[in-house]
């Protein structure tokens, strides 16, 4: 049974993105922050007929500190770990009032999504709640001051994985949250990156026009937490994809498509741009390179296994 | 007892400066406390930190409203925040500025010390982080702590946070600033454009703070009201745009996290407008421009 | 008028149907599970047109109710014990954002050790969340108060969430005859929820739950405090209207039973009230001057009503089915606070913790202790543990 009805897609491009800002200037994100790039674009695509939800995260604070707010659309925050179910509650309430056409979107960071927020996220996905969930992945708890999350990559310095004399950064690997979400068999799961805007816009628009549970995880660097120059946010995001540190793919009704074939450039360039990897030993860099190769290999097999021609 | 209020921006290390001053005063046998204005400010937003020093144990746990000294880590804050608010007439302002004390304009004419801490920091640290250099100026201008104690305070506080090597560089920044600090008197009578806060009584506040867009005497509140918050003063570097090189690909417009770039005009006359009142100077636009049409300049 | 023999859980579920709730979000937990099951049956049989979110936890169930209520619809959930504890942080949001969620709580002991029987240590710790709490005595009151709860909670002077607290098994799983109010009469009593203060609607954008600096939060606390105090009056009004329309008067904030001429009054809450009525009758017949006050609302706390009671007797005992360790039972602590300046003895009687049955001898002992205090003008022990092995009551 189809779990959603695909809507008509009118392809939006950078040139045709609406000029109106539903997420206004004057917000207080750090200079060069990646998440406002995601949010600005997403709000332009979703439009004013949208209700937004935010957990306790950087975006909650920089997007609005009472009595001021950057969002021109309805805005709700309840708590940290319940974004998906709050968005679902909003959607059901709108439907009960005959407002079925309103988009409901939750924006959340990687910790609020894949760690503390995962139970509510998984539950909402399993129930195929009719919401769009956008995770901006900056690979740590940035709001509380750069602590490691399940999404923090191997070797990265954070304030809870310091570059000590005995242990240098995080000893564990990044949680593969997109695939976990794909395993929920929801209508749409995709990864995106601020470094690949056309792909990101297309995916947000596609997700907007679908029904049922839609999950986007968008790579959004944090210059403050990654200890890098504020001008390099987009450049480093491109390098993440090119080196295989982040894969751009999507699953629509069980069919997986690889959107950008990784060039598998050496990870060194990517790592060297960021202060959070400054302490890495050659051995650690080798481990990360190995992880990237292995991830790429597994991703390609995964895409092959769930490709269109394998669909019965 | 003397009380010091630091004015800085998120990421400039005002809190570490306040702590290092406390540590320096402690080295000289005093009791000292340092604390932030507990906020959630991001990088670049105006922040405050405080230091209290006395011979005996300090019990007060309040913020400092009538400081003896104010320390300003970024002179652009003087136009945004009433930095001399409550400053005692007998007090002193220590300001990071390339100008002479006599050219500084504050709310009141008081003793004033200036130091070009940004240049000192760029020369000694390679970064425009002025929290250590300004402490050298504090030592020189007030004489309340010796520069040797300031160095010890920096080694203690900065050393624990960023390691001995970088702490030593910061100590050197303080020493360099100590040598070039000028002391005089600033001009008074400056009225900063201070926006009054909207502070209605409980019965006029929306129930549970569920708020619609509203025009109040103190400005917009509610959805979309952040447009009143001009974040442009945060920047150290500003984009300089060359329309002749621009091919209107709009990548900078798309990437700008602050929505500070607007498209104006029609047809062939289309061009981009940079709204410096919002631009935080991150430089993504210049970094991503395929035609080198944007340069970042201090 | 239809009378049926049903459980407290059935009454709680049926009341939600009569209230025509828009969004239900729930998670099963003993002994509340039947409420969720009955509502599922109503929805699947087409009797109830509600969105029913079968959530993956109580935390999510309460979150969904809060979000749906903030979107402007009538919401309902039910829980017990650990489920309520898991909801704890979400409860504050409903209270501070003025979202009138209605929630029956089947009072069950909170672990450890894990148990499933009646104790009030689940709801009592929630007293400062900005929720109203009403404790009920029988299944009719479960039905009636669940409907009244919507009316009180949604009153423009209140706009606060409310728990309807019913004792595990003693009500939840016990059948007794209940008069089922007619739908048209309930419709007249309870008009649809049409809020203005909190509605997420793209045609009228609003921010709810914004990150707020200290300049604002203290005023929000005062708003909750004021509306909670407003509820004191609204509870009485709604009770009077219910009595007029449906013929059952619960007394509002408290109910007094044979307090006139009583020297010793016991303040109870929950089902112990019911058994205590029999003991009052028995003691009165024997010439012992005892009376009973059923504390119905714990939040808002009926300070004035309790003072009036105290001014006409010689001693008060307060029954608690929960304890604040080293400090006595929560209901007693509140009563003593209300009675500051009064010189009569006010003692605490604790019994039935962990679901232990509170027997007639237990209740006689409670009255005896209060009578003794009334006679002597003082009490040997202020806090009396009844029926605890190794502890002299």
């Amino acid at each position: 049974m189809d779990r959603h009805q695909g809507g008509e897609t009118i392809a939006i491009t950078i040139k045709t993105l609406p000029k109106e800002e539903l997420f206004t200037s004057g917000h207080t994100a750090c200079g060069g922050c990646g998440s406002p790039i995601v949010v600005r674009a997403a709000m332009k695509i979703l439009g004013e007929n949208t209700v937004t939800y935010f957990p306790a995260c950087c975006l909650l604070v920089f997007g609005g500190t009472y009595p001021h707010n950057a969002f021109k659309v309805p805005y709700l925050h309840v708590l940290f770990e319940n974004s998906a179910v709050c968005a679902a509650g909003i959607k059901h309430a709108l439907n009960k009032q005959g407002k079925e056409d309103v988009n409901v979107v939750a924006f959340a960071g990687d910790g609020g999504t894949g760690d503390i927020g995962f139970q509510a996220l998984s539950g909402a996905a399993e129930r195929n709640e009719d919401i769009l969930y956008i995770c901006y992945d900056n690979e740590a708890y940035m709001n509380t001051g750069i602590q490691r999350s399940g999404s923090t990559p191997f070797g990265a310095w954070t304030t809870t994985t310091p570059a000590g004399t005995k242990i240098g950064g995080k000893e564990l690997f990044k949680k593969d949250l997109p695939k976990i979400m794909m395993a929920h068999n929801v209508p749409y799961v995709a990864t995106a990156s601020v470094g690949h805007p056309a792909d990101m816009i297309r995916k947000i628009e596609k997700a907007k026009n679908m029904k049922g549970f839609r999950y986007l995880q968008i790579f959004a660097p944090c210059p403050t937490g990654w200890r890098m120059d504020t001008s390099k946010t987009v450049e480093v995001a491109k390098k993440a994809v090119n080196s295989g540190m982040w894969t751009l793919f999507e699953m629509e009704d069980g069919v997986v498509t690889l959107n950008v074939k990784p060039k598998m450039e050496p990870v060194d360039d990517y790592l060297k741009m960021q202060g959070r990897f400054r302490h890495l030993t050659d051995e650690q860099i080798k481990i990360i390179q190995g992880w990237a190769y292995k991830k790429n290999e597994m991703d390609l097999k995964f895409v092959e296994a769930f490709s269109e021609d394998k669909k019965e | 007892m003397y009380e010091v209020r630091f004015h800085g921006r998120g990421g400039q290390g005002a809190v570490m400066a306040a702590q290092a001053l406390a540590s320096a005063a402690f080295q000289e046998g005093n009791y000292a406390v340092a604390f932030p204005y507990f906020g959630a400010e991001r990088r670049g937003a105006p922040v405050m930190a405080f230091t209290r020093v006395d011979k005996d144990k300090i019990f007060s746990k309040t913020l400092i409203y009538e400081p003896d000294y104010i320390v300003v880590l970024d002179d652009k804050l003087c136009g945004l925040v009433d930095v001399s608010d409550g400053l005692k007439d007998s007090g002193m302002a220590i300001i990071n500025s390339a100008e002479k004390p006599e050219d500084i304009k504050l709310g009141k004419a008081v003793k004033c010390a200036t130091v070009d801490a940004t240049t000192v920091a760029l020369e000694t640290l390679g970064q425009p982080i002025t929290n250590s250099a300004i402490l050298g100026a504090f030592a020189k201008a007030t004489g309340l702590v010796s520069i040797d104690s300031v160095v010890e305070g920096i080694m203690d506080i900065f050393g624990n946070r960023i390691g001995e090597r970088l702490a030593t560089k910061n100590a050197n920044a303080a020493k360099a600033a100590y040598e070039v600090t000028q002391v005089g008197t600033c001009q008074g009578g400056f009225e900063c454009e201070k926006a009054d806060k909207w502070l209605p009584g409980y019965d006029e506040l929306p129930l549970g703070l569920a708020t619609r867009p509203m025009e109040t005497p103190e400005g917009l509140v509610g959805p979309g009201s952040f447009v009143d918050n001009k974040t442009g003063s945060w920047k150290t570097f500003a984009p300089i745009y060359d329309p002749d090189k621009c091919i209107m690909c709009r990548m900078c417009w798309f990437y700008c996290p602050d929505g500070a770039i607007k498209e104006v005009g029609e047809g062939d006359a289309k061009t981009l407008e940079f709204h410096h009142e919002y631009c935080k100077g991150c430089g993504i636009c210049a970094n991503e421009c395929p035609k080198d049409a944007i340069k970042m300049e201090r | 008028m239809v009378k049926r023999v049903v459980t407290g859980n059935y009454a709680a579920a049926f009341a939600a149907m009569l209230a025509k709730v828009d969004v239900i979000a729930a998670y099963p937990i003993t002994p509340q599970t039947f409420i969720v099951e009955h509502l599922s049956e109503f929805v699947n049989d087409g009797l109830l047109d509600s969105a029913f979110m079968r959530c993956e936890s109580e935390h999510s169930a309460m979150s969904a109710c809060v979000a749906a209520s903030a979107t402007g619809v009538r919401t309902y959930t039910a829980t017990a014990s650990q489920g309520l504890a898991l909801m704890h942080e979400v409860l504050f949001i409903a209270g501070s954002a003025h979202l009138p969620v209605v929630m029956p709580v089947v009072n069950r002991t909170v672990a450890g050790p894990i148990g499933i029987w009646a104790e009030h240590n689940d709801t009592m710790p929630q007293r400062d969340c900005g929720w109203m709490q009403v404790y009920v005595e029988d299944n009719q009151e479960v039905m009636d108060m669940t409907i009244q709860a919507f009316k009180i909670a949604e009153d423009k002077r209140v706009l606060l969430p409310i728990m309807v607290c019913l004792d595990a098994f003693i009500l939840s799983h016990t059948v007794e005859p209940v008069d089922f109010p007619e739908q048209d009469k309930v419709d007249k009593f309870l008009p649809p929820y049409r809020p203005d203060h909190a509605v997420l609607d793209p045609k009228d954008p609003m921010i709810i739950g914004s990150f707020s600096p200290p300049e604002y939060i203290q005023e929000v606390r005062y708003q909750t405090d004021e509306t909670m105090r407003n509820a004191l009056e609204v509870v009485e009004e709604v009770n009077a209207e219910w009595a007029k329309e449906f013929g059952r008067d619960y007394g509002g904030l408290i109910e007094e039973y044979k307090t006139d001429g009583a020297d010793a009054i016991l303040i109870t809450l929950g089902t112990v009230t019911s058994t205590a009525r029999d003991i009052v009758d028995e003691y009165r017949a024997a010439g012992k001057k005892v009376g009973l006050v059923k504390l119905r609302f714990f939040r808002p706390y009926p300070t004035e009503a309790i003072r009036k009671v105290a001014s006409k007797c010689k001693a008060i005992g307060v029954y608690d089915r929960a304890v604040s360790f080293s400090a006595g039972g929560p209901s007693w602590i509140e009563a003593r606070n209300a009675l500051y300046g009064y010189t009569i003895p006010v003692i605490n009687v604790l019994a039935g913790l962990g679901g232990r049955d509170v027997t007639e001898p237990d209740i006689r002992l409670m009255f005896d202790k209060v009578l003794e205090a009334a006679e002597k003008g003082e009490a040997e022990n202020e806090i009396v543990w009844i029926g605890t092995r190794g502890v002299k009551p």
Side-chain angles (χ1 to χ4, degrees):
Chain A
M1 189 174 75
D2 268 0
R3 299 191 75 198
H4 78 280
Q5 299 167 315
E8 190 186 347
T9 301
I10 305 156
I12 297 175
T13 65
I14 288 176
K15 299 214 173 190
T16 59
L17 264 183
K19 287 181 193 162
E20 198 200 339
E21 307 285 351
L22 294 172
F23 173 69
T24 69
S25 303
H27 66 75
T28 56
C30 302
C33 179
S35 66
I37 302 176
V38 174
V39 176
R40 256 187 85 216
M43 289 315 303
K44 285 172 184 291
I45 296 163
L46 292 169
E48 60 186 12
N49 196 27
T50 301
V51 177
T52 57
Y53 179 85
F54 308 87
C57 63
C58 276
L59 176 55
L60 176 78
V61 179
F62 76 67
T65 295
Y66 196 80
H68 302 298
N69 206 288
F71 287 89
K72 288 184 173 173
V73 294
Y75 167 108
L76 178 69
H77 159 70
V78 177
L79 290 165
F80 189 12
E81 69 278 49
N82 54 2
S83 305
V85 71
C86 286
I90 294 167
K91 184 68 190 177
H92 284 289
L94 289 166
N95 288 349
K96 285 300 291 180
Q97 297 171 88
K99 300 170 187 169
E100 284 92 351
D101 61 333
V102 178
N103 305 305
V104 179
V105 62
F107 291 99
D110 47 280
T113 299
D115 295 347
I116 194 169
F118 187 71
Q119 177 177 310
L121 177 70
S122 177
E126 182 270 330
R127 296 190 300 274
N128 196 29
E129 300 283 6
D130 186 16
I131 60 163
L132 170 57
Y133 191 107
I134 299 179
C135 168
Y136 62 95
D137 185 358
N138 53 26
E139 301 196 320
Y141 292 97
M142 298 311 185
N143 192 36
T144 42
I146 322 165
Q147 291 80 32
R148 64 84 90 186
S149 74
S151 203
T152 303
F154 178 89
W157 163 93
T158 69
T159 56
T160 51
T161 53
T165 49
K166 187 178 166 200
I167 300 167
K170 193 183 177 194
E171 296 181 285
L172 301 163
F173 294 90
K174 184 179 173 85
K175 188 191 279 195
D176 195 350
L177 198 51
K179 283 212 203 71
I180 297 170
M181 293 315 296
M182 287 176 180
H184 283 74
N185 190 28
V186 292
Y188 191 58
V189 175
T191 59
S193 165
V194 296
H196 288 72
D199 180 71
M200 178 172 94
I201 291 170
R202 181 182 66 79
K203 286 169 175 171
I204 297 172
E205 191 191 15
K206 179 187 268 192
K208 175 196 174 187
N209 290 327
M210 290 172 79
K211 290 252 178 264
F213 193 85
R214 294 144 282 158
Y215 177 82
L216 295 177
Q217 188 166 333
I218 304 182
F219 198 77
C222 165
T224 304
W226 294 14
R227 303 204 143 177
M228 58 174 206
D229 192 283
T230 57
S231 67
K232 302 294 184 189
T233 302
V234 173
E235 188 182 329
V236 81
K238 286 186 207 290
K239 277 200 163 62
V241 171
N242 292 342
S243 60
M245 294 295 290
W246 183 246
T247 311
L248 297 179
F249 59 163
E250 63 190 320
M251 176 185 259
E252 187 180 356
D253 280 336
V255 176
V256 181
T257 311
L258 185 70
N259 307 112
V260 174
K261 193 164 160 37
K263 294 176 191 154
M264 298 313 290
E265 290 169 356
V267 295
D268 299 51
D269 276 2
Y270 172 69
L271 300 176
K272 280 187 180 133
M273 287 180 77
Q274 306 168 51
R276 63 174 173 157
F277 294 118
R278 189 180 292 135
H279 60 281
L280 292 186
T281 61
D282 290 347
E283 188 56 35
Q284 284 176 306
I285 294 174
K286 255 167 82 180
I287 291 172
I288 295 172
Q289 185 64 70
W291 178 84
Y293 283 136
K294 194 173 160 204
K295 173 177 160 57
N296 180 52
E297 191 186 322
M298 283 172 63
D299 285 346
L300 293 179
K301 281 184 188 162
F302 181 72
V303 170
E304 165 66 18
F306 292 94
S307 60
E308 185 69 58
D309 51 359
K310 290 276 164 63
K311 197 181 184 189
E312 288 176 44
Chain B
M1 161 117 69
Y2 67 88
E3 297 181 315
V4 187
R5 189 172 67 210
F6 289 79
H7 292 271
R9 293 178 179 281
Q12 286 182 338
V15 176
M16 274 171 83
Q19 292 176 344
L21 176 59
S23 175
F26 174 73
Q27 315 289 341
E28 298 185 354
N30 293 296
Y31 194 93
V33 293
F35 51 98
Y37 176 76
F38 304 98
E41 279 74 15
R42 309 290 107 172
R43 292 223 147 179
V47 298
M48 285 191 286
F50 308 89
T51 305
R52 265 196 190 100
V53 179
D54 200 2
K55 290 262 172 287
D56 304 313
K57 180 173 164 70
I58 294 164
F59 292 97
S60 174
K61 291 282 184 282
T62 71
L63 302 180
I64 291 170
Y65 298 98
E66 293 180 353
D68 299 283
Y69 301 94
I70 57 164
V71 177
V72 183
L73 275 68
D74 175 352
D75 60 351
K76 287 204 297 288
L77 284 168
C78 296
L80 286 174
V81 180
D82 188 3
V83 294
S84 64
D85 185 33
L87 177 63
K88 288 184 184 142
D89 292 339
S90 59
M92 185 192 268
I94 295 100
I95 297 176
N96 168 22
S97 172
E99 293 180 15
K100 291 200 291 281
E102 288 68 27
D103 296 331
I104 298 288
K105 296 187 186 82
L106 295 180
K108 55 176 74 173
V110 285
K111 273 190 280 180
C112 179
T114 59
V115 65
D116 186 357
T118 305
T119 298
V120 169
L122 284 170
E123 284 169 1
T124 50
L125 307 171
Q127 290 184 71
I129 297 176
T130 57
N131 58 346
S132 48
I134 202 78
L135 291 178
F138 183 88
K140 176 71 169 277
T142 67
L144 287 164
V145 282
S146 70
I147 184 66
D148 291 344
S149 299
V150 164
V151 166
E152 277 190 67
I154 289 172
M155 293 309 292
D156 174 25
I157 299 293
F158 286 56
N160 279 334
R161 284 283 297 277
I162 56 175
E164 197 183 330
R165 190 179 60 85
L166 288 173
T168 305
K169 281 190 174 185
N170 276 282
N172 290 339
K175 285 193 255 184
Y178 183 86
E179 298 302 332
V180 294
T181 299
Q182 307 178 67
V183 182
T185 305
C186 71
Q187 301 173 36
F190 176 74
E191 278 187 40
C192 103
E193 296 171 36
K194 197 172 78 175
D196 285 332
K197 273 190 175 168
W198 178 64
L199 296 171
Y202 84 96
D203 49 347
E204 285 166 35
L205 265 181
L207 195 62
L209 304 185
T211 305
R212 295 181 164 88
M214 284 192 289
E215 188 80 61
T216 74
E218 293 80 23
L220 280 178
V221 300
S225 59
F226 244 160
V227 287
D228 279 355
N229 187 36
K230 303 293 160 60
T231 51
S233 68
W234 297 19
K235 59 179 157 294
T236 308
F237 299 93
I240 308 299
Y241 171 59
D242 182 351
D244 295 338
K245 286 187 182 172
C246 175
I247 54 167
M248 288 303 289
C249 69
R250 296 173 181 80
M251 292 314 291
C252 58
W253 170 82
F254 176 82
Y255 285 130
C256 178
D258 295 293
I261 304 170
K262 306 274 177 211
E263 191 182 306
V264 289
E266 289 298 325
D268 290 347
K270 265 190 189 165
T271 183
L272 297 175
E273 216 172 68
F274 283 65
H275 287 245
H276 291 281
E277 72 271 29
Y278 295 119
C279 168
K280 294 171 188 158
C282 70
I284 291 176
C285 54
N287 198 63
E288 297 309 318
C289 178
K291 294 290 171 191
D292 264 347
I294 305 166
K295 291 258 178 296
M296 299 303 290
E297 285 180 15
R298 193 176 152 188
Chain C
M1 191 189 294
V2 183
K3 252 196 162 86
R4 294 168 60 190
V5 178
V6 297
T7 62
N9 278 344
Y10 191 87
F14 202 90
M17 181 158 68
L18 288 171
K20 296 184 174 168
V21 291
D22 297 298
V23 173
I24 301 166
Y27 187 78
I29 180 169
T30 303
Q32 157 269 26
T33 307
F34 282 116
I35 299 179
V36 185
E37 292 181 4
H38 293 314
L39 286 166
S40 302
E41 290 156 16
F42 300 155
V43 169
N44 283 13
D45 288 341
L47 301 170
L48 172 59
D49 181 26
S50 300
F52 192 173
M53 299 173 67
R54 282 97 170 169
C55 289
E56 82 296 334
S57 74
E58 289 91 349
H59 191 283
S60 280
M62 180 49 64
S63 299
C65 285
V66 163
S69 185
T71 314
V73 302
R74 185 171 286 161
T75 59
Y76 175 97
T77 183
T79 192
S81 184
Q82 315 297 140
L84 185 62
L86 187 58
M87 286 178 178
H88 179 66
E89 63 161 350
V90 199
L91 299 177
F92 287 86
I93 309 297
S96 63
H98 293 268
L99 304 171
V101 180
V102 171
M103 172 166 69
V105 178
V106 182
N107 284 116
R108 165 190 152 185
T109 188
V110 175
I114 186 168
I116 55 170
W117 297 274
E119 186 169 339
H120 295 164
N121 70 338
D122 52 359
T123 47
M124 284 294 167
Q126 314 301 342
R127 64 175 191 190
D128 297 336
C129 299
W131 282 64
M132 295 180 281
Q133 290 188 358
V134 58
Y135 289 80
V136 300
E137 181 185 350
D138 58 30
N139 292 350
Q140 185 68 61
E141 199 179 5
V142 173
M143 169 76 82
D144 293 355
M145 282 319 295
T146 304
I147 299 167
Q148 284 190 43
F150 287 100
K151 180 113 171 168
I152 297 163
E154 292 169 6
D155 190 287
K156 293 270 184 280
R157 295 163 288 175
V158 179
L159 292 168
L160 288 173
I162 180 166
M163 298 176 198
V164 180
C165 308
L166 57 146
D167 284 336
F169 299 105
I170 307 166
L171 295 184
S172 67
H173 286 58
T174 300
V175 294
E176 61 180 328
V178 171
D179 176 13
F180 278 51
E182 282 129 9
Q183 184 69 63
D184 57 341
K185 280 177 80 178
V186 174
D187 289 346
K188 196 167 146 252
F189 174 80
L190 183 67
Y193 179 51
R194 295 277 180 271
D196 179 64
H197 71 293
V199 190
L200 296 168
D201 179 359
K203 294 200 166 62
D204 183 15
M206 178 184 274
I207 51 170
I208 304 178
S210 207
F211 178 75
S212 303
E215 285 90 334
Y216 299 97
I217 294 180
Q218 193 159 316
E219 282 69 24
V220 174
R221 295 288 173 269
Y222 192 84
Q223 288 177 342
T224 305
D225 192 70
E226 184 184 60
T227 48
M228 188 66 86
R229 283 182 277 116
N230 290 345
L232 290 165
E233 189 184 340
V234 174
V235 165
E236 301 286 5
E237 285 175 21
V238 171
N239 177 70
E241 190 182 337
W242 185 266
K244 187 163 157 269
E245 296 299 325
F246 298 91
R248 286 182 293 275
D249 184 345
Y250 291 97
L253 296 160
I254 65 168
E255 183 204 333
E256 297 186 46
Y257 185 68
K258 299 191 179 172
T259 54
D260 287 343
D263 291 339
I265 289 176
L266 184 65
I267 300 175
T268 57
L269 74 179
T271 51
V272 164
T273 309
S274 226
T275 317
R277 289 177 195 272
D278 286 345
I279 307 300
V280 169
D281 292 348
E282 177 190 312
Y283 271 35
R284 280 285 183 155
K288 295 178 184 173
K289 292 183 178 172
V290 296
L292 181 68
V293 166
K294 171 185 173 186
L295 183 74
R296 301 184 70 242
F297 278 81
F298 186 68
R299 284 290 180 276
Y301 192 79
T303 302
E304 284 309 318
I306 295 297
R307 284 180 184 162
K308 271 187 198 150
V309 167
S311 58
K312 61 185 183 188
C313 67
K314 292 180 181 162
I316 283 182
V318 183
Y319 166 71
D320 268 296
R321 201 163 201 149
V323 60
S324 184
F325 301 110
S326 83
S331 184
W332 176 68
I333 293 168
E334 299 293 355
R336 289 251 295 202
N337 178 53
L339 298 178
Y340 179 76
Y342 285 69
T343 52
I344 58 167
V346 181
I347 63 166
N348 191 195
V349 284
L350 295 162
L353 306 189
R356 184 165 301 181
D357 196 29
V358 182
T359 64
E360 291 185 345
D362 290 339
I363 297 172
R364 284 190 198 101
L365 183 55
M366 293 177 198
F367 278 112
D368 291 344
K369 290 283 177 190
V370 190
L371 279 167
E372 189 186 319
E375 197 175 309
K376 291 183 180 166
E378 60 180 10
E380 192 186 341
N381 289 318
E382 287 193 313
I383 301 170
V384 184
W385 287 68
I386 288 173
T388 315
R389 288 187 300 280
V391 180
K392 187 176 165 284

